[in-house]
Amino acid sequence: MPPDEAPLAERLERVRTAVADAAAVAGRSPSEITTVVVTKFHPASLVRELADLGVRDIGENRHQDAAPKAAELTDLDLTWHFIGQLQSNKVRAVLDYASVIQSIDRASIVAAIATTGKSVDAFIQLNLTADPRRGGVVAADLDALVEDVLAVPSIRLRGLMAVAPLDEEPRRAFEMVRKASDRMLAQAPLASALSMGMSGDFREAILEGATHLRIGTAITGKRPDAG
Ligand SMILES: *Cc1c(COP(=O)(O)O)cnc(C)c1O
């Protein structure tokens, strides 16, 4: 059976095993690694199935897609992670369901979160590409953004998030994130989390210290049309 056609439970189990194997290779405990299952473009029913299989952390990247799903699933005890590019005027609505924002990349988003007064766990997204239009703050601007985030008491800065660029060796990209994180710890000693690693590169991410994986297709199967 091609991996995509295997039942959800089987794909989830396969990923859990692969995560545990990679952790063992890295000499790490799988218990220090949180797998966020990315369910973008999939229906609420799939999220419910995942919850039945013990998944608690769900990742979504588009507010208009995520909001109705979250609204349909308020009976479940899920932690919604927002992982997509954010607009300031959507921040309040996103925080109605998301308790983690993984994609903070500019001061205006920090200010928008502060205005809501809501408590949130946050990751700063680091842009590893040469394209400033990609999500994430460029490394040169990281220190200043960390200062902005630390100045807001309702935001608990957890660490950094990044997506490995397609044209680069993932391990090298993740090593850059780890090094940026090491430097950032002088400024933000509690923000040691590293959200990196997706379906195709989570093993490399674990070897570089990832604490949060964001895994979609390897668990959910192929995404329905992006719409
Ligand atoms: C879609 C997405 C993922 C998951 O990607 P897969 O390759 O399906 O595992 C992870 N992170 C972000 C930011 C995404 O948008």
Side-chain angles (χ1 to χ4, degrees):
M1 193 159 29
D4 246 7
E5 287 168 32
L8 186 65
E10 199 178 312
R11 289 193 302 258
L12 179 64
E13 200 43 48
R14 249 188 240 149
V15 169
R16 283 178 171 154
T17 303
V19 167
D21 289 350
V25 170
R28 303 178 56 203
S29 162
S31 65
E32 57 185 70
I33 301 168
T34 300
T35 298
V36 177
V37 181
V38 179
T39 52
K40 59 191 184 198
F41 308 123
H42 286 284
S45 56
L46 181 118
V47 182
R48 191 174 287 283
E49 275 182 73
L50 286 165
D52 286 343
L53 295 167
V55 171
R56 286 290 160 261
D57 292 274
I58 298 293
E60 286 282 339
N61 73 334
R62 280 215 228 163
H63 171 60
Q64 68 270 33
D65 187 36
K69 277 190 245 182
E72 203 177 316
L73 299 170
T74 48
D75 60 309
L76 301 177
D77 184 23
L78 297 173
T79 298
W80 294 84
H81 297 245
F82 195 82
I83 62 173
Q85 289 200 36
L86 256 178
Q87 291 163 266
S88 304
N89 63 355
K90 298 272 169 62
V91 163
R92 184 176 293 274
V94 167
L95 290 182
D96 277 344
Y97 54 91
S99 54
V100 187
I101 303 277
Q102 293 212 3
S103 43
I104 291 191
D105 62 358
R106 57 195 189 278
S108 58
I109 297 296
V110 178
I113 294 174
T115 340
T116 69
K118 293 191 184 184
S119 298
V120 64
D121 277 16
F123 291 74
I124 291 179
Q125 184 179 355
L126 193 60
N127 180 356
L128 300 175
T129 75
D131 181 354
R133 287 165 307 181
R134 286 313 196 87
V137 63
V138 295
D141 297 337
L142 178 61
D143 286 15
L145 188 57
V146 171
E147 281 310 309
D148 288 336
V149 172
L150 293 177
V152 181
S154 60
I155 305 180
R156 181 161 81 120
L157 183 59
R158 300 294 314 280
L160 290 177
M161 183 272 247
V163 177
L166 285 175
D167 57 359
E168 203 182 323
E169 184 99 44
R171 179 94 194 241
R172 296 235 342 240
F174 296 143
E175 184 188 13
M176 283 176 56
V177 184
R178 184 172 51 75
K179 287 184 171 163
S181 165
D182 288 345
R183 288 189 296 273
M184 190 177 93
L185 285 175
Q187 225 181 333
L190 300 177
S192 56
L194 286 175
S195 173
M196 55 191 196
M198 318 199 327
S199 291
D201 55 21
F202 65 85
R203 293 170 187 80
E204 289 86 347
I206 290 169
L207 292 174
E208 289 297 335
T211 60
H212 291 68
L213 312 171
R214 305 176 315 275
I215 303 185
T217 47
I219 293 171
T220 64
K222 206 163 156 290
R223 278 186 276 275
D225 245 350

